Short mmCIF file of all heavy atoms in Angstrom, two decimals:
data_model
loop_
_atom_site.label_atom_id
_atom_site.label_comp_id
_atom_site.label_asym_id
_atom_site.label_seq_id
_atom_site.Cartn_x
_atom_site.Cartn_y
_atom_site.Cartn_z
N PHE A 1164 -7.26 36.71 -12.07
CA PHE A 1164 -5.99 36.42 -12.90
C PHE A 1164 -5.12 35.60 -12.15
O PHE A 1164 -4.53 34.54 -12.68
CB PHE A 1164 -5.40 37.92 -13.18
CG PHE A 1164 -3.93 37.97 -13.68
CD1 PHE A 1164 -3.47 36.94 -14.62
CD2 PHE A 1164 -3.20 39.02 -13.41
CE1 PHE A 1164 -2.26 36.89 -15.08
CE2 PHE A 1164 -1.88 39.13 -14.11
CZ PHE A 1164 -1.32 38.13 -14.71
N MET A 1165 -4.81 35.86 -10.90
CA MET A 1165 -3.86 34.98 -10.09
C MET A 1165 -4.52 33.55 -9.91
O MET A 1165 -3.77 32.59 -9.85
CB MET A 1165 -3.61 35.61 -8.76
CG MET A 1165 -2.49 36.59 -8.80
SD MET A 1165 -1.05 36.22 -9.58
CE MET A 1165 -1.06 36.94 -11.22
N GLU A 1253 -0.91 35.13 -1.94
CA GLU A 1253 -0.50 36.10 -2.95
C GLU A 1253 0.19 37.37 -2.24
O GLU A 1253 -0.16 37.66 -1.17
CB GLU A 1253 -1.54 36.53 -3.87
CG GLU A 1253 -1.53 35.81 -5.25
CD GLU A 1253 -0.14 35.97 -5.91
OE1 GLU A 1253 0.41 37.06 -5.70
OE2 GLU A 1253 0.29 34.98 -6.58
N LYS A 1254 0.89 38.05 -3.02
CA LYS A 1254 1.60 39.25 -2.50
C LYS A 1254 0.74 40.41 -2.85
O LYS A 1254 -0.13 40.32 -3.81
CB LYS A 1254 2.92 39.39 -3.10
CG LYS A 1254 3.08 39.22 -4.64
CD LYS A 1254 2.11 39.84 -5.64
CE LYS A 1254 2.31 41.34 -5.63
NZ LYS A 1254 1.22 41.78 -6.71
N THR A 1285 6.36 35.31 -6.91
CA THR A 1285 6.83 34.24 -7.82
C THR A 1285 8.02 34.53 -8.63
O THR A 1285 8.71 33.52 -9.14
CB THR A 1285 5.68 34.10 -8.91
OG1 THR A 1285 4.62 34.96 -8.75
CG2 THR A 1285 5.22 32.71 -9.01
N TYR A 1286 8.38 35.74 -8.84
CA TYR A 1286 9.41 36.13 -9.87
C TYR A 1286 10.83 35.60 -9.21
O TYR A 1286 11.72 35.38 -10.01
CB TYR A 1286 9.46 37.56 -10.09
CG TYR A 1286 8.40 38.13 -10.83
CD1 TYR A 1286 7.35 38.97 -10.30
CD2 TYR A 1286 8.04 37.61 -12.19
CE1 TYR A 1286 6.26 39.49 -11.01
CE2 TYR A 1286 7.11 38.09 -12.94
CZ TYR A 1286 6.12 39.04 -12.33
OH TYR A 1286 5.09 39.47 -13.16
N TYR A 1314 9.86 48.23 -11.92
CA TYR A 1314 8.86 47.30 -12.38
C TYR A 1314 7.92 48.33 -13.24
O TYR A 1314 7.28 49.16 -12.69
CB TYR A 1314 8.15 46.63 -11.34
CG TYR A 1314 7.39 45.49 -11.73
CD1 TYR A 1314 7.02 44.36 -10.95
CD2 TYR A 1314 6.72 45.39 -13.08
CE1 TYR A 1314 6.33 43.26 -11.38
CE2 TYR A 1314 5.96 44.32 -13.51
CZ TYR A 1314 5.78 43.23 -12.65
OH TYR A 1314 5.10 42.13 -13.11
N GLN A 1316 4.94 49.03 -16.11
CA GLN A 1316 3.83 48.46 -16.93
C GLN A 1316 3.12 49.86 -17.57
O GLN A 1316 3.57 50.93 -17.21
CB GLN A 1316 2.79 47.79 -16.09
CG GLN A 1316 3.28 46.65 -15.43
CD GLN A 1316 2.29 45.82 -14.52
OE1 GLN A 1316 1.27 46.54 -14.03
NE2 GLN A 1316 2.51 44.59 -14.30
N TRP A 1318 -0.53 49.79 -18.44
CA TRP A 1318 -1.89 49.62 -18.64
C TRP A 1318 -2.84 50.61 -18.17
O TRP A 1318 -4.06 50.64 -18.41
CB TRP A 1318 -2.37 48.16 -18.08
CG TRP A 1318 -2.05 47.99 -16.63
CD1 TRP A 1318 -0.93 47.61 -16.10
CD2 TRP A 1318 -2.98 48.01 -15.53
NE1 TRP A 1318 -1.00 47.51 -14.66
CE2 TRP A 1318 -2.27 47.73 -14.34
CE3 TRP A 1318 -4.32 48.33 -15.39
CZ2 TRP A 1318 -2.91 47.65 -13.17
CZ3 TRP A 1318 -4.94 48.35 -14.16
CH2 TRP A 1318 -4.18 48.02 -13.01
N TRP A 1328 -10.39 46.97 -8.86
CA TRP A 1328 -10.03 46.85 -7.36
C TRP A 1328 -8.60 47.30 -7.17
O TRP A 1328 -8.24 47.86 -6.11
CB TRP A 1328 -10.31 45.61 -6.74
CG TRP A 1328 -9.48 44.50 -7.32
CD1 TRP A 1328 -9.72 43.50 -8.22
CD2 TRP A 1328 -8.19 44.08 -6.81
NE1 TRP A 1328 -8.71 42.54 -8.42
CE2 TRP A 1328 -7.75 42.93 -7.55
CE3 TRP A 1328 -7.27 44.48 -5.88
CZ2 TRP A 1328 -6.43 42.22 -7.29
CZ3 TRP A 1328 -6.13 43.86 -5.58
CH2 TRP A 1328 -5.69 42.77 -6.44
N ARG A 1329 -7.77 47.16 -8.20
CA ARG A 1329 -6.28 47.51 -8.04
C ARG A 1329 -6.12 48.98 -7.81
O ARG A 1329 -5.20 49.53 -7.49
CB ARG A 1329 -5.45 47.01 -9.23
CG ARG A 1329 -5.09 45.54 -9.04
CD ARG A 1329 -4.27 45.17 -10.33
NE ARG A 1329 -3.68 43.83 -10.22
CZ ARG A 1329 -4.39 42.72 -10.40
NH1 ARG A 1329 -5.65 42.80 -10.86
NH2 ARG A 1329 -3.84 41.51 -10.28
N ASP A 1342 1.49 46.69 -5.55
CA ASP A 1342 1.13 45.70 -6.56
C ASP A 1342 2.47 45.12 -7.24
O ASP A 1342 2.69 43.95 -7.27
CB ASP A 1342 0.20 46.27 -7.63
CG ASP A 1342 -0.22 45.14 -8.60
OD1 ASP A 1342 -0.27 43.91 -8.16
OD2 ASP A 1342 -0.62 45.50 -9.68
N ILE A 1343 3.25 46.08 -7.72
CA ILE A 1343 4.49 45.74 -8.47
C ILE A 1343 5.68 46.18 -7.75
O ILE A 1343 6.80 45.51 -8.08
CB ILE A 1343 4.35 46.18 -10.05
CG1 ILE A 1343 4.14 47.64 -10.06
CG2 ILE A 1343 3.31 45.36 -10.57
CD1 ILE A 1343 4.03 48.19 -11.57
N HIS A 1346 7.21 43.62 -5.69
CA HIS A 1346 8.07 42.55 -6.42
C HIS A 1346 9.47 43.02 -6.56
O HIS A 1346 10.47 42.25 -6.40
CB HIS A 1346 7.58 42.22 -7.80
CG HIS A 1346 6.39 41.40 -7.85
ND1 HIS A 1346 6.25 40.06 -7.41
CD2 HIS A 1346 5.08 41.55 -8.41
CE1 HIS A 1346 5.11 39.57 -7.55
NE2 HIS A 1346 4.29 40.41 -8.21
N LEU A 1382 -7.84 43.29 -14.25
CA LEU A 1382 -7.31 43.94 -15.37
C LEU A 1382 -8.18 43.82 -16.56
O LEU A 1382 -7.82 44.51 -17.51
CB LEU A 1382 -5.91 43.27 -15.69
CG LEU A 1382 -4.94 43.28 -14.46
CD1 LEU A 1382 -3.66 42.51 -14.87
CD2 LEU A 1382 -4.51 44.68 -14.23
N ARG A 1417 2.70 52.30 -13.48
CA ARG A 1417 1.80 51.72 -14.58
C ARG A 1417 1.68 52.70 -15.77
O ARG A 1417 0.76 52.62 -16.47
CB ARG A 1417 0.40 51.49 -13.82
CG ARG A 1417 0.43 50.41 -12.78
CD ARG A 1417 -0.63 50.53 -11.80
NE ARG A 1417 -0.84 49.30 -10.98
CZ ARG A 1417 -1.60 49.19 -9.84
NH1 ARG A 1417 -2.33 50.36 -9.62
NH2 ARG A 1417 -1.68 48.18 -9.32
N ASN A 1424 5.52 44.49 -19.04
CA ASN A 1424 5.71 43.88 -17.84
C ASN A 1424 7.25 43.77 -17.37
O ASN A 1424 7.79 42.70 -17.23
CB ASN A 1424 5.09 42.41 -17.72
CG ASN A 1424 4.70 41.98 -16.35
OD1 ASN A 1424 4.30 42.78 -15.50
ND2 ASN A 1424 5.03 40.76 -15.97
N TYR A 1486 5.90 33.10 -18.43
CA TYR A 1486 5.42 33.57 -17.08
C TYR A 1486 5.08 32.54 -16.26
O TYR A 1486 5.21 32.63 -14.92
CB TYR A 1486 4.34 34.61 -17.54
CG TYR A 1486 3.54 35.07 -16.30
CD1 TYR A 1486 4.16 36.00 -15.43
CD2 TYR A 1486 2.13 34.90 -16.23
CE1 TYR A 1486 3.41 36.56 -14.49
CE2 TYR A 1486 1.46 35.35 -15.19
CZ TYR A 1486 2.16 36.27 -14.34
OH TYR A 1486 1.32 36.91 -13.22
N PHE A 1490 5.09 30.09 -11.43
CA PHE A 1490 4.02 29.62 -10.57
C PHE A 1490 4.20 27.99 -10.32
O PHE A 1490 3.91 27.53 -9.17
CB PHE A 1490 2.74 29.93 -11.21
CG PHE A 1490 2.32 31.35 -11.09
CD1 PHE A 1490 2.71 32.10 -12.19
CD2 PHE A 1490 1.82 32.03 -10.09
CE1 PHE A 1490 2.57 33.61 -12.19
CE2 PHE A 1490 1.65 33.47 -10.04
CZ PHE A 1490 1.96 34.13 -11.15
C1 SOE B 915 -0.92 43.62 -12.40
O1 SOE B 915 -0.34 44.80 -12.10
C2 SOE B 915 -0.26 42.43 -12.12
O2 SOE B 915 -0.90 41.37 -12.45
C3 SOE B 915 0.24 42.31 -10.66
O3 SOE B 915 -0.79 42.20 -9.72
C4 SOE B 915 1.24 40.96 -10.57
O4 SOE B 915 1.64 40.92 -9.24
C5 SOE B 915 2.32 41.17 -11.63
O5 SOE B 915 3.05 39.92 -11.49
C6 SOE B 915 1.78 41.48 -12.96
O6 SOE B 915 0.97 42.59 -12.98
#
Side-chain angles (χ1 to χ4, degrees):
F1164 168 29
M1165 278 306 105
E1253 255 307 322
K1254 47 48 64 179
T1285 5
Y1286 292 114
Y1314 199 151
Q1316 299 179 334
W1318 56 280
W1328 68 263
R1329 281 183 170 78
D1342 185 29
I1343 53 178
H1346 283 301
L1382 300 173
R1417 294 157 165 171
N1424 204 44
Y1486 175 63
F1490 292 89

